[in-house]
Each structure stands twice: as C-alpha cells, then as structure tokens.
Amino acid sequence: MDLFWGSASPFVRKVMVVAHELGVQDSVRIYNTAAHPIDRDLRVKGVNPLAKVPAARCADGTLLYDSRVICEYLDDMAGGALFPAPGPARWTALRRQALADGLLDAALLVRYELLIRPDPLKWPLWIEKQREKVEDALDAMQGDCPGAGCADIGAISCACALGWLDFRFPDIGWRATRPELAAWFTQFDTRPAMRATHPRG
C-alpha cells in the first residue's frame, strides 16, 4: 500500500498505529505530502479528490481515503480483530472512534482558525465553541473509557486524539479533571505501536 501522509496528522497516526498493531507496517510505503486546507497538495488530489490525508493506493490500484476506511481495510486484509464483529462490542468501538474523530475535527478547526485565517478575520466565538466541543468530547471519553485490555479501533482512535491534543494543545490540560482517562492513556501510550508513531512536526 502507498500511503500519502503528514507526519503530524492524528488521522495518519491512527492508520500507522493500526498497521503496527497488525504487524503490517513494513508493507506500507509512505509518501510525505504538504497537505493544507487552502494550498492543497495536488499529488494527494490524484488519490483523494479532497486532497486530504491519509489517502492510500492499494497494490491492486484501489484508492482509499479517510482514516476509518483505510484502518478497516488494513484490519480486513491482515485478518485482524481491531474492528469487532457486529454486535455490542463493535458499536462501542465505532462510537468511540466517531467521538475521537469528532474531537479532532473540532480541534483542527481551532488550529486552522489560529494559524491560517488572517488576524482581522479571526472569530473568537468560533474558537470558543469549537473548544467547547473538545471539552465535551473529553468528558464523554472520561465516562466511557476503554478497559485496560482494550486495543480495538475505538481505543486506538481515542489514544491518537489525546496524543494530538498533548502535541498541539498542551494548554488544555485535559488530565487535571479526568483522572481515569489520564491513567488509561498513560498506560495505552506505552504500547509499541503508539511509541513508534509519536507525532512530529
């Protein structure tokens, strides 16, 4: 698989954590990109019309985009169990993945507002309301923390979201009022797949 990625993208990290958990990371060939919400990288557009990462080209030419699709494809191809079979465990894992991805969507909108939008056009209320979504998602994660032995796509998604907050928004200080979530993440972050994929940029 050819994977178009960005070294600091939490969604790319999720794909790579899945690849490491499945032991297929050496079959993923990485292509660095300059993905950007305004100055779109046309190399990525050739694989994903949205020019967003992660995007993948499989050995048979199949094109995949969005971390959720690529992660499930890898799990299926490797015969993994990161996506549970239909039933309560699957819906829980997918719900946690959706929450983590939604947290990241809101946090990325804050980052874009702060870094990309011209100063005269910045909208403080927009930033405030997106941050509220992040805080609400963190509260929900605290109340629905994966178990100590859980390493499915829901747990991976939550861990990648929390790791990216530490990387880009250390001022949030999410651990202070969410001790169970903090303890879970501290332990989960020691997994080899997490350690091998720490964000940089």
Side-chain angles (χ1 to χ4, degrees), residues 1-2 46-47 56-65 73:
M1 171 187 286
D2 296 333
V47 180
R57 183 189 298 114
C58 304
D60 65 359
T62 299
L63 302 180
L64 303 172
Y65 28 90
Y73 174 88

Side-chain angles (χ1 to χ4, degrees), residues 103-126:
L103 181 158
L104 288 171
D105 286 340
L108 280 164
L109 289 175
V110 172
R111 182 164 172 79
Y112 293 156
E113 186 78 11
L114 294 173
L115 293 183
I116 298 173
R117 190 178 295 277
D119 285 340
L121 302 178
K122 285 182 169 53
W123 189 6
L125 183 61
W126 173 269

